[in-house]
Amino acid sequence: MNAKLDSETLNVLRKDPLQAALTTSALADFYIAKQFPDNKALITSVDFDITGTHCITTSRDESLRIYDCASGTREQVSYSKKYGCNLAQFTAQPGCVAYASTKINDTVRYLSYETNQFIRYFAGHTGMVTSLQRSPNAQSTSMVSASMDGTVRLWNLDTVKPVCTVNIEGGKNGVAAAYDPSGMVVAVAAESQAIQLYDVRKMTKGPFTSAPITSKLTVAGLKFMPPTGDYILLAMSDGSIMLLDAFQLTTLAVLSSATHNAISPTIAPVASALGQMQQQCFGQKITATPDGRAVIAGNDNGGIVFWDFDTVLANSGSKQPPAVHAPNGTWNESHDGPVGVCAFNPLLMECVTGSQSLTLWTSIY
């Protein structure tokens, strides 16, 4: 199971995804290069280190697992049985990760996985952490978190107290937050009410722009489209994706796969916002290619679908309601269960997806 990938696959992996032609036909030919049936429950998050050579996963079986993405081997596993774990992030400090607790309290924990010892705890949230992301700036020690307590907090990994805490209006029913690619802007979605943009240097002064969200669904998570961050992807509680203009905050399109499991209308009114966000793994099911040419998402039936971004934009506009776009393609192979995470490697020709198994995909090109 831990045998290294063959030399031909390794040569493909080493291609720069920013330079390769990730066309619709190239994406359609992605195949499974390696699969790890390691977990006993759904994988809930995945993150790459700044080199793209390693990824870390969390799972509902309360494990943190680190994989070498360049060689296709599992390197390490540790457990957080006492506190639970989710949304693990590599940090600028080599050998260290931060992750959110899911039991006992809502503290963010800073761990040296080389010594398996905690460095410090970031306490303050009084509701489950729904977003956790390190700054995109490679040398930065900053990270942002959002919680069901209705707050967004900026942290510096060198001190236990938050740099700032922002109370989000309407946030008691769910908040998601994410950095833009520059690390200078944080986008915040307050349940189904509004999308707000903050300057990280003056977050306590309020958002510099905001707009209502044109949907009654809960926002499970959000991401900026690479490489420039001109667009925002909102992962919605029914499995669809809303595409927003990052400057005007207008909804341009809805990306929807007929194979995702939408929340039943008879269940949605009584399902908590947290439950809906957890069902969609806090937006971890969606990703984009590093060149910004495609959006990729995992489905509850185990399949992986993708949209050609140029095609979506060419057939979208400011008219309301926004156009709904079916996927442009589906990968031929699939997981044996619901897909909880989907992330494209920023530096290697590789996409990582997870159900109860972690899967490394690459292209024949």
Side-chain angles (χ1 to χ4, degrees):
M1 182 177 66
N2 270 333
K4 291 189 176 183
L5 299 175
D6 60 76
S7 58
E8 183 178 353
T9 300
L10 288 173
N11 287 333
V12 173
L13 281 178
R14 294 189 184 105
K15 291 182 178 179
D16 186 346
L18 283 170
Q19 301 298 324
L22 286 172
T23 61
T24 299
S25 58
L27 281 171
D29 288 324
F30 266 61
Y31 67 93
I32 295 176
K34 194 67 180 290
Q35 201 160 36
F36 298 90
D38 294 340
N39 294 93
K40 297 180 181 179
L42 183 70
I43 296 170
T44 56
S45 75
V46 62
D47 181 55
F48 296 101
D49 68 3
I50 59 175
T51 68
T53 57
H54 290 85
C55 72
I56 184 169
T57 66
T58 59
S59 167
R60 289 177 183 165
D61 64 12
E62 300 173 339
S63 67
L64 298 101
R65 300 175 190 268
I66 295 176
Y67 298 86
D68 186 321
C69 299
S71 64
T73 56
R74 184 185 64 249
E75 285 199 348
Q76 190 170 340
V77 58
S78 58
Y79 289 89
S80 183
K81 293 291 186 180
K82 182 176 181 180
Y83 302 110
C85 57
N86 198 12
L87 303 173
Q89 293 277 295
F90 285 105
T91 68
Q93 180 66 35
C96 297
V97 296
Y99 68 89
S101 306
T102 59
K103 298 193 303 186
I104 297 182
N105 54 39
D106 304 296
T107 296
V108 175
R109 302 180 186 280
Y110 190 22
L111 174 74
S112 166
Y113 60 80
E114 293 180 342
T115 64
N116 202 31
Q117 293 181 326
F118 289 113
I119 300 170
R120 60 183 57 92
Y121 306 114
F122 302 104
H125 282 304
T126 57
M128 182 168 284
V129 174
T130 54
S131 299
L132 184 66
Q133 185 187 359
R134 72 176 182 276
S135 169
N137 296 323
Q139 303 306 315
S140 176
T141 57
S142 297
M143 64 179 178
V144 65
S145 63
S147 164
M148 291 301 295
D149 62 12
T151 68
V152 172
R153 297 170 189 252
L154 283 182
W155 307 88
N156 185 310
L157 292 171
D158 296 327
T159 180
V160 296
K161 292 184 178 180
V163 174
C164 68
T165 300
V166 181
N167 291 293
I168 306 300
E169 184 177 355
K172 292 295 184 180
N173 291 319
V175 181
Y179 281 107
D180 82 327
S182 73
M184 299 305 296
V185 174
V186 168
V188 176
E191 202 205 13
S192 59
Q193 297 189 24
I195 178 82
Q196 306 170 345
L197 300 184
Y198 291 81
D199 185 326
V200 296
R201 297 165 295 184
K202 42 190 175 184
M203 284 192 66
T204 55
K205 293 184 178 180
F208 61 83
T209 188
S210 64
I213 296 172
T214 57
S215 174
K216 295 182 179 179
L217 298 168
T218 295
V219 178
L222 65 115
K223 299 178 187 294
F224 280 88
M225 277 289 293
T228 59
D230 291 347
Y231 302 94
I232 298 173
L233 302 173
L234 301 183
M236 309 306 290
S237 56
D238 70 339
S240 64
I241 304 167
M242 289 181 64
L243 172 66
L244 274 60
D245 181 300
F247 299 97
Q248 304 298 323
L249 298 184
T250 52
T251 304
L252 301 178
V254 174
L255 312 183
S256 180
S257 167
T259 57
H260 70 244
N261 284 354
I263 298 174
S264 168
T266 61
I267 297 176
V270 297
S272 68
L274 175 59
Q276 293 180 41
M277 294 175 80
Q278 287 177 314
Q279 179 172 340
Q280 297 303 328
C281 293
F282 300 124
Q284 298 288 309
K285 295 184 179 185
I286 68 172
T287 189
T289 55
D291 60 1
R293 296 188 63 175
V295 176
I296 304 169
N299 282 326
D300 286 344
N301 68 355
I304 309 295
V305 298
F306 64 88
W307 292 263
D308 179 88
F309 198 63
D310 290 337
T311 301
V312 170
L313 288 181
N315 294 281
S316 301
S318 57
K319 65 179 182 178
Q320 299 297 322
V324 178
H325 298 264
N328 294 105
T330 304
W331 287 351
N332 293 325
E333 300 174 88
S334 65
H335 285 268
D336 55 2
V339 177
V341 299
C342 189
F344 207 103
N345 194 309
L347 296 172
L348 300 178
M349 186 63 71
E350 175 183 70
C351 189
V352 172
T353 61
S355 55
Q356 225 173 269
S357 300
L358 187 75
T359 300
L360 309 184
W361 303 77
T362 192
S363 172
I364 63 173
Y365 293 97

